[in-house]
Amino acid sequence: MKLNPTLDPDELHQRYKALGRISIPKVLDAEDAKALRKAIDREPHKNLVFFANGKHFDIDAAGWRDLDAEKVGTTEDIIYVEAQKGFSYYYENIPVYDRWKAGTELGSQLKAAVEFLNAEPFLNFVRRVTGFGDIAFADAQATLYGPGHFLTLHNDAVEGKNRRAAFVLNLTKEWREDWGGYLNFFDEDGHIEGAFMPSFNTLNMFSVPAAHSVGFVSPFAGETRVSITGWLRAGEDQD
């Protein structure tokens, strides 16, 4: 995998420091981006993660899709009630970094993606863009938000994780403005002060902490919001 060689990290840093966030289109070689999206689509072992009844659930996504509509609807009702209370989530994922670190099953293209994110060319690029010179590694998961999925308001700050910035490498092929699923940023009064549309081969980054959410994906959305997302972290990975 290769970064777009025309990107100027010093110019991008000037944009980043103004708001503490940035959206960078055409970040990867175009063919690499297409191949990575295909690898996520083909990956047979996807999880469904959600928060319900005060607990985190991580289940087989294929098994969930095989459930009858009544069971799915009942569970979704519980998920949505939970989301009224505060931080909550509901989406599919592939824990690519965790699988890579553990040496468990992971397709060659996804393995290459994790290695790319943790190789010096990418790490040096994001250090220069964000201004965080101590970024040492990037953890990551592939996320897939379909109709009804969401990630509620939070700020990514977790003690001991040394998260300097969050990143979202978007691999969504096409998206309409009214399908939801935007990466939203909020001011102290709860107003949306900025938002990034899911756009193919675009890298979004923002400093931690930052109040943000992934908006509810509309039931009539005609695509899946696909990305590789994670955190750019300092220190050693102790997880």
Side-chain angles (χ1 to χ4, degrees):
M1 295 183 64
K2 301 179 292 296
L3 283 167
N4 180 345
T6 68
L7 297 174
D8 181 349
D10 297 319
E11 184 274 329
L12 294 170
H13 174 64
Q14 297 304 312
R15 290 167 46 199
Y16 183 93
K17 71 179 184 179
L19 293 173
R21 60 179 179 265
I22 194 169
S23 183
I24 307 171
K26 299 180 181 178
V27 70
L28 297 180
D29 173 85
E31 293 305 311
D32 286 343
K34 292 176 184 177
L36 184 53
R37 171 60 194 265
K38 287 180 181 178
I40 292 173
D41 290 343
R42 291 195 302 261
E43 170 57 44
H45 304 300
K46 296 182 178 74
N47 301 331
L48 181 78
V49 296
F50 58 88
F51 195 70
N53 292 328
K55 296 188 296 183
H56 168 77
F57 288 84
D58 192 332
I59 65 175
D60 177 62
W64 170 264
R65 288 190 289 270
D66 287 339
L67 292 176
D68 64 65
E70 183 177 356
K71 288 183 180 179
V72 170
T74 298
T75 306
E76 285 186 335
D77 288 344
I78 296 170
I79 293 169
Y80 295 147
V81 168
E82 192 78 36
Q84 296 175 13
K85 304 173 185 177
F87 179 60
S88 192
Y89 45 86
Y90 176 34
Y91 58 89
E92 290 187 17
N93 85 338
I94 306 168
V96 291
Y97 180 79
D98 290 345
R99 291 181 186 175
W100 172 72
K101 199 170 88 165
T104 54
E105 184 177 355
L106 188 65
S108 60
Q109 191 70 37
L110 292 176
K111 181 180 178 182
V114 180
E115 292 171 347
F116 164 80
L117 294 171
N118 283 279
E120 196 58 25
F122 179 78
L123 292 176
N124 187 54
F125 174 77
V126 296
R127 289 181 196 122
R128 291 172 65 185
V129 174
T130 64
F132 294 113
D134 60 350
I135 290 171
F137 68 100
D139 63 21
Q141 61 174 320
T143 62
L144 303 93
Y145 288 76
H149 290 171
F150 63 88
L151 176 64
T152 62
L153 180 66
H154 62 293
N155 67 12
D156 279 352
V158 178
E159 186 175 356
K161 294 288 189 179
N162 299 318
R163 294 170 175 171
R164 298 298 187 250
F167 72 92
V168 182
L169 175 56
N170 286 283
L171 297 164
T172 305
K173 294 177 180 176
E174 296 180 5
W175 202 256
R176 284 176 53 98
E177 294 88 335
D178 49 8
W179 286 356
Y182 275 57
L183 176 58
N184 298 312
F185 298 93
F186 299 87
D187 65 18
E188 293 181 355
D189 296 318
H191 300 299
I192 294 176
E193 63 178 10
F196 293 146
M197 180 181 187
S199 300
F200 188 75
N201 197 15
T202 295
L203 177 67
N204 299 331
M205 293 190 293
F206 57 93
S207 297
V208 174
H212 66 283
S213 73
V214 175
F216 184 82
V217 177
S218 169
F220 57 80
E223 238 285 33
T224 300
R225 180 192 187 275
V226 178
S227 66
I228 300 256
T229 183
W231 295 276
L232 305 167
R233 296 167 58 182
E236 296 183 3
D237 185 5
Q238 302 295 329
D239 295 345

